[in-house]
């Protein structure tokens, strides 16, 4: 007898929210998911989960999901439901027409870090081989692109060095610009367990985060002013070098010694000391000196960081500065140490691995490399363009200038998630064909001409790659409600554009990825069935994968020290905009909330609020819970105030989950010098009382 709600069978799959990559058993009754149960054999989560993965899958059945393709001539027109074939044909005709009128490079696309490896691989293949240009970028552009640049420069690989298990061997945990308790909760639990066992915690963050406030751990908190990461990293390095705490044996054996000497001479300069930089950074020099000594001498030191590092005008510089610190102290190449980016989205690592950047083919190989390009040309049977294409911000600029007119957006709400919303609106409005491929009519779809319904993670086969480079299976739990998995949609669009791609199953796409990508050479669905998951590099040298990287040597050969000079952001406070805004997330919501806001079975919802210090609130006559107007040079919004000393005087903080608040109306156009990752984390603002929206 089957009771109501009693499961009949289960399917093991992977959470589609954050970069922890928890494995779940989807317990089913017929075609209905009854509940999601954390899978005890999941190597990233070991039977644990958070509220999002466990309860926030209801969006897959939400009434606002669009299940039929739609088209319209102009964005002022109403949508018209059409068949898949008509939608593909309409989109292809428009995109080809644009190329005829404006040139081959006038169209491009954006891959999704929410989709599978196989799906992002197909989108970049469509663009490179079908569109004939390299105008492909990924939503990682706006989050972890500096990680790719910084770690590739110093270590030789655009990825974190450790597996999550590594934290069990850590003696000193340094968390920089991340709040894993909210954004990576299952990993945070493992981290806290290690802290309760006696490991020390250093938190470098403008805000007193939940990690600092946790009653069970004692953290050394460095509450720096937003935008001063590089100065703080350099001051830490100053103490390590001038106090004689460098692991010289490691540096001599593993790194370029002359580059180290140049770096050491730079950080040792008196103007880089904690005392000399204290007014700039806002960090007590004594606390900073203590943190440096603990990290350098406390045993295995591991650094975990998030978007508070990358989303700055010096995001790449900070990643490099972190890598310098790890090399100088010998904290690389064994369990318990390392440099570990906490990835935000479920497959942001994978979308980067799969060649979603305009200058790189899958496996981070430059498009200009003849030998590599020829491999792809032979298998794809096309001639590839060796010129790197446009990044997302360049696409927007070119659209406003009238030279970029068509965009295919896979699974990302660029209007809500990219900075300076008014510029994005101007760019989208100027385009002649915007194709949105998504579950819902998101904010970007207001400017689209074609809407291709997306499939949820429960409706398709594929793989995600989590923050520890772990490739895990996503398994089809129910039939796609829209009739097509996302990989099939991209194939349909490609075919309509005259570029045939033939695959019967995503496993065949993975076989092609493995054939073309040395770090994935040993990956196959058969291996994933056998081992449960595998961490890349997985190839002849490491057939069962690589939990910890750079053990015997850095991937690039010698570790590279790079001098990291602090350069202040151009975003300055002043009499009109005297406060600095920084942003973050809460546990129950996910990014712009497209899924979590549409999940009735999630435990609770919360609005975006502005955290403001009591001193700053009093000066402005703002009481707790009052509506306030938040205004920057880019735009303004209205939200409620929360008075708290979690932020220092001069700093305000909010989350960005709700479209009503639209925090990105406020953020500016400044971006990382190397990768164009937007500077979301530093915006000069004014706050004033308001009567509400
Ligand atoms: Fe999903 Fe991340 Fe929560 Fe795990 S920690 S259940 S991957 S959102």
């Amino acid at each position: 007898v089957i009771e109501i709600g009693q499961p009949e069978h289960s399917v093991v799959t992977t959470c589609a929210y954050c970069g922890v990559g928890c494995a779940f058993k989807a317990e089913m009754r017929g075609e209905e998911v009854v509940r999601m149960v954390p899978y005890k054999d999941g190597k990233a989560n070991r039977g644990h989960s958070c509220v999002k993965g466990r309860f926030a899958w209801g969006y897959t059945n939400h009434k606002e999901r669009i299940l039929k393709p739609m088209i319209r001539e102009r964005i002022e027109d109403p949508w018209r439901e059409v068949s898949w074939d008509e939608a593909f044909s309409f989109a292809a005709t428009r995109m080809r027409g644009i190329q005829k009128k404006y040139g081959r490079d006038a169209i491009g696309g954006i891959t999704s870090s929410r989709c599978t490896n196989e799906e992002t691989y197909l989108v970049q293949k469509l663009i490179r081989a079908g569109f004939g240009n390299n105008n492909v970028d990924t939503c990682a552009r706006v989050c972890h692109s500096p990680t790719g640049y910084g770690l590739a420069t110093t270590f030789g690989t655009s990825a974190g060095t450790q597996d999550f298990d590594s934290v069990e061997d850590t003696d000193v945990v340094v968390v920089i610009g991340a709040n894993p308790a909210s954004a990576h909760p299952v990993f945070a639990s493992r981290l806290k367990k290690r802290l309760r066992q006696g490991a020390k915690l250093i938190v470098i963050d403008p805000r007193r985060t939940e990690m600092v406030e946790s009653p069970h751990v004692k953290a050394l908190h460095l509450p720096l002013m937003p935008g001063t990461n590089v100065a703080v990293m350099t001051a830490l390095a100053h103490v390590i070098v001038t106090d004689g705490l460098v692991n010289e044996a490691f540096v001599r054996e593993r790194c370029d010694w002359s580059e180290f000497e140049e770096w050491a001479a730079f950080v040792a300069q008196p103007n880089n000391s904690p005392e000399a930089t204290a007014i700039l950074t806002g960090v007590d020099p004594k606390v900073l000196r203590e943190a440096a000594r603990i990290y350098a001498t406390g045993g295995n030191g591991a650094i975990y960081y998030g978007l508070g590092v990358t989303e700055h005008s010096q995001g790449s510089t900070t990643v490099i500065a972190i890598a310098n610190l790890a090399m100088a102290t010998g904290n690389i190449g064994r369990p318990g140490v390392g440099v570990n980016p906490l990835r935000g989205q479920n497959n942001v690592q994978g979308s980067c691995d799969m060649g979603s950047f305009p200058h790189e083919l899958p496996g981070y190989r430059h498009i200009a490399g003849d030998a590599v390009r020829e491999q792809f040309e032979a298998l794809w049977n096309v001639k590839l363009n060796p010129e790197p294409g446009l990044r997302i911000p360049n696409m927007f600029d070119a659209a406003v200038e009238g030279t970029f007119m068509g965009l295919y957006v896979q699974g990302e709400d660029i209007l809500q998630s990219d900075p300076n919303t008014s510029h994005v609106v101007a760019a989208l409005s100027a385009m002649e064909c915007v194709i949105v491929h998504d579950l819902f009519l998101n904010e970007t779809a207001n400017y689209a001409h074609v809407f291709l319904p997306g499939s949820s993670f429960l409706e398709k086969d594929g793989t995600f790659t989590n923050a520890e480079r772990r490739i895990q299976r996503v398994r089809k739990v129910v039939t796609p409600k829209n009739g097509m998995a996302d990989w099939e949609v991209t194939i349909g669009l490609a075919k309509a554009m005259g570029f045939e791609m033939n695959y019967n199953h995503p496993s065949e796409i993975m076989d092609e990825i493995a054939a073309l990508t040395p770090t994935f050479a040993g990956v196959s669905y058969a291996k994933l069935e056998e081992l449960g998951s595998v961490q890349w590099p997985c190839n002849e040298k490491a057939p069962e994968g690589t939990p910890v990287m750079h053990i015997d040597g850095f991937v690039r050969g010698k570790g590279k020290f790079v001098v990291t000079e602090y350069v202040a952001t151009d975003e300055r406070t002043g009499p009109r905009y005297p406060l600095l805004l920084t942003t973050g997330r809460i546990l129950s919501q996910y990014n712009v909330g497209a899924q979590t806001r549409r999940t009735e079975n999630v435990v609770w919802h919360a609005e975006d609020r502005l955290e403001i210090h009591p001193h700053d609130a009093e000066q402005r006559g703002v009481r707790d819970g009052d509506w306030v107007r938040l205004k920057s040079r880019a735009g303004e919004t209205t939200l409620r105030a929360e008075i708290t000393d979690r932020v220092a005087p001069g700093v305000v903080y909010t989350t960005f989950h709700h479209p009503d608040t639209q925090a990105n109306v406020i953020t500016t156009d400044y971006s990382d010098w190397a990768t164009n990752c937007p500077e979301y984390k530093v915006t000069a603002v004014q706050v004033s009382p308001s009567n509400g929206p």
Side-chain angles (χ1 to χ4, degrees):
V1 177
I2 296 170
E3 295 169 15
I4 299 222
Q6 193 70 18
E8 294 168 343
H9 68 283
S10 65
V11 181
V12 176
T13 191
T14 305
C15 179
Y17 280 112
C18 86
V20 175
C22 297
F24 279 89
K25 271 200 305 184
E27 294 197 335
M28 309 288 302
R29 189 157 41 85
E31 276 279 294
E32 185 195 351
V33 178
V34 176
R35 60 181 173 235
M36 298 290 279
V37 179
Y39 186 47
K40 68 176 174 30
D41 292 334
K43 292 199 174 131
N45 59 316
R46 300 180 186 280
H48 297 279
S49 76
C50 81
V51 62
K52 293 191 286 285
R54 185 80 192 255
F55 299 110
W57 44 271
Y59 68 87
T60 61
N61 296 320
H62 196 273
K63 59 181 184 310
E64 286 174 13
R65 250 191 92 176
I66 306 293
L67 301 176
K68 293 255 169 33
M70 301 190 297
I71 59 172
R72 57 185 175 182
E73 288 292 327
R74 301 172 312 148
I75 58 172
E76 298 79 21
D77 297 338
W79 284 109
R80 187 161 62 86
E81 282 186 5
V82 292
S83 67
W84 280 104
D85 280 347
E86 189 175 349
F88 290 144
S89 166
F90 181 89
T93 305
R94 281 226 166 174
M95 293 295 250
R96 284 290 183 229
I98 289 169
Q99 287 192 302
K100 215 165 159 197
K101 191 163 150 196
Y102 299 95
R104 185 188 59 180
D105 298 338
I107 63 173
I110 298 173
T111 70
S112 174
S113 295
R114 319 307 316 282
C115 288
T116 64
N117 286 317
E118 294 76 1
E119 288 163 346
T120 52
Y121 174 86
L122 287 194
V123 172
Q124 63 87 35
K125 179 175 178 178
L126 163 65
I127 291 162
R128 296 188 199 286
F131 293 3
N133 63 46
N134 293 303
N135 292 334
V136 56
D137 209 353
T138 164
C139 42
R141 172 69 52 212
V142 299
C143 62
H144 267 289
S145 49
T147 289
Y149 181 88
L151 297 186
T153 301
T154 48
F155 300 160
T157 299
S158 300
T161 62
Q162 312 294 123
D163 59 355
F164 291 150
D165 287 352
S166 172
V167 78
E168 287 164 19
D169 293 301
T170 298
D171 301 305
V172 181
V173 176
V174 184
V175 177
I176 310 174
N179 185 9
S182 283
H184 305 86
V186 167
F187 175 66
S189 301
R190 292 184 77 174
L191 210 151
K192 284 183 188 167
K193 184 175 168 203
R194 183 64 193 143
L195 296 170
R196 286 196 296 274
Q197 290 168 346
K200 294 196 166 67
L201 174 65
I202 297 163
V203 175
I204 303 175
D205 200 292
R207 183 168 169 266
R208 209 169 63 238
T209 63
E210 286 86 337
M211 292 305 296
V212 182
E213 293 194 326
S214 173
H216 307 295
V217 297
K218 190 173 173 308
L220 193 63
H221 182 207
L222 280 59
L224 77 174
M225 285 304 281
T228 62
N229 283 334
V230 171
V232 170
M233 292 301 126
T234 307
L236 290 168
H238 176 95
V239 178
I240 288 166
V241 168
T242 56
D243 282 12
L245 304 178
V246 169
N247 184 336
E248 199 178 313
F250 178 92
V251 176
R252 280 192 182 280
E253 187 194 333
R254 301 283 304 273
C255 306
D256 184 302
W257 182 255
S258 65
E259 286 167 351
F260 164 76
E261 284 186 315
E262 192 189 339
W263 171 81
F266 165 74
V267 300
Q269 290 169 7
N271 61 336
N272 287 323
S273 73
E275 291 73 18
T277 50
I279 290 177
L280 169 73
T281 64
V283 180
D284 181 341
K286 284 199 202 78
V287 176
L288 197 143
R289 282 186 179 275
E290 189 185 351
R293 286 169 190 148
I294 291 172
Y295 174 64
T297 65
N300 285 340
I303 298 176
Y304 295 88
Y305 71 87
L307 304 182
V309 159
T310 54
E311 290 177 343
H312 288 271
S313 57
Q314 283 203 291
S316 292
T317 316
T318 311
V319 174
I320 289 169
I322 290 170
N324 287 339
L325 276 189
M327 289 188 289
T329 52
N331 278 314
I332 285 287
R334 61 182 187 279
V337 298
V339 175
N340 306 288
L342 291 169
R343 301 287 193 155
Q345 303 196 69
N346 53 324
N347 199 36
V348 64
Q349 179 70 57
S351 74
C352 298
D353 300 341
M354 292 298 104
S356 296
F357 289 126
H359 65 298
E360 282 174 339
L361 286 158
Y364 304 99
R365 281 146 326 138
H366 205 285
I367 188 78
D370 291 342
V372 174
R373 212 175 51 255
E374 279 161 17
Q375 271 186 319
F376 283 81
E377 287 174 343
L379 206 72
W380 293 353
N381 198 23
V382 290
K383 196 85 190 138
L384 293 177
N385 184 341
E387 290 293 320
L390 298 174
R391 296 170 173 177
I392 292 171
N394 308 131
M395 293 181 196
F396 293 156
D397 292 345
V400 172
E401 287 160 13
T403 56
F404 186 85
M405 288 288 138
L407 182 66
Y408 169 33
V409 190
Q410 179 197 42
E412 191 194 354
D413 192 354
I414 50 176
L415 188 66
Q416 259 209 93
S417 56
D418 282 54
N420 196 347
T421 307
S422 58
H423 186 56
V424 182
V425 167
L428 290 172
S429 310
M431 290 186 207
E432 294 178 8
C433 184
V434 175
I435 306 168
V436 167
H437 179 183
D438 213 300
L439 297 174
F440 302 103
L441 271 176
N442 58 26
E443 301 296 311
T444 309
N446 290 329
Y447 298 87
H449 307 86
V450 182
F451 185 88
L452 302 175
S455 47
S456 78
F457 76 113
L458 294 172
E459 298 162 30
K460 58 194 175 188
D461 281 301
T463 55
F464 292 153
T465 306
N466 77 353
E468 45 167 5
R469 293 170 278 103
R470 185 181 299 283
I471 306 159
Q472 305 190 95
R473 275 300 312 277
V474 177
R475 292 185 179 84
K476 187 157 92 173
V477 172
V478 293
T479 311
K481 293 185 193 315
N482 60 347
M484 273 200 206
D486 292 334
W487 60 276
E488 295 170 299
V489 173
T490 304
I491 290 172
L493 180 60
K495 190 174 171 196
M497 292 203 64
F499 180 68
E500 291 270 352
M501 296 199 275
N502 295 305
Y503 307 95
N504 298 307
H505 188 268
S507 62
E508 296 173 10
I509 307 171
M510 180 53 82
D511 291 343
E512 183 174 312
I513 294 165
L516 288 168
T517 315
T519 44
F520 275 64
V523 181
S524 67
Y525 278 31
K527 179 163 284 178
L528 293 173
E529 288 303 326
E530 183 196 333
L531 300 180
S533 63
V534 70
Q535 288 168 275
W536 68 259
C538 172
N539 45 30
E540 251 182 29
K541 275 198 213 149
E544 302 213 339
T546 310
V548 176
M549 294 193 76
H550 315 296
I551 289 179
D552 299 319
F554 286 100
V555 168
R556 71 179 302 280
K558 292 280 187 189
K560 182 177 181 63
F561 280 88
V562 179
V563 169
T564 55
E565 195 135 10
Y566 169 72
V567 179
T569 169
D570 286 334
E571 177 69 352
R572 304 283 162 90
T573 53
R576 282 197 69 191
Y577 301 100
L579 304 173
L580 279 180
L581 170 75
T582 189
T583 59
R585 309 167 191 215
I586 59 169
L587 172 62
S588 64
Q589 290 289 341
Y590 188 78
N591 283 2
V592 296
Q595 286 108 320
T596 43
R597 283 186 291 103
R598 291 189 175 96
T599 298
E600 267 101 41
N601 54 343
V602 76
V603 174
W604 73 96
H605 291 276
E607 61 184 351
D608 294 322
R609 291 192 158 223
L610 185 79
E611 292 188 6
I612 183 167
H613 189 271
H615 172 76
D616 292 327
E618 192 186 341
Q619 273 193 335
R620 290 161 177 77
V622 171
R623 290 161 307 171
D624 199 48
D626 280 358
W627 286 105
V628 290
R629 188 175 72 136
L630 179 67
K631 187 171 187 310
S632 74
R633 294 179 183 93
E636 65 180 79
T637 188
T638 310
L639 67 176
R640 287 191 189 276
E642 180 177 335
I643 298 177
T644 172
D645 65 0
R646 242 177 262 130
V647 289
V651 177
V652 288
Y653 165 89
T654 189
T655 51
F656 47 75
H657 302 303
H658 290 267
D660 298 345
T661 317
Q662 287 233 4
N664 286 331
V665 168
I666 302 294
T667 48
T668 68
D669 267 343
Y670 297 122
S671 65
D672 175 46
W673 63 272
T675 67
N676 281 135
C677 181
E679 189 168 55
Y680 288 123
K681 300 298 181 188
V682 191
T683 310
V685 293
Q686 55 172 256
V687 174
S688 55
S690 160
N691 293 326

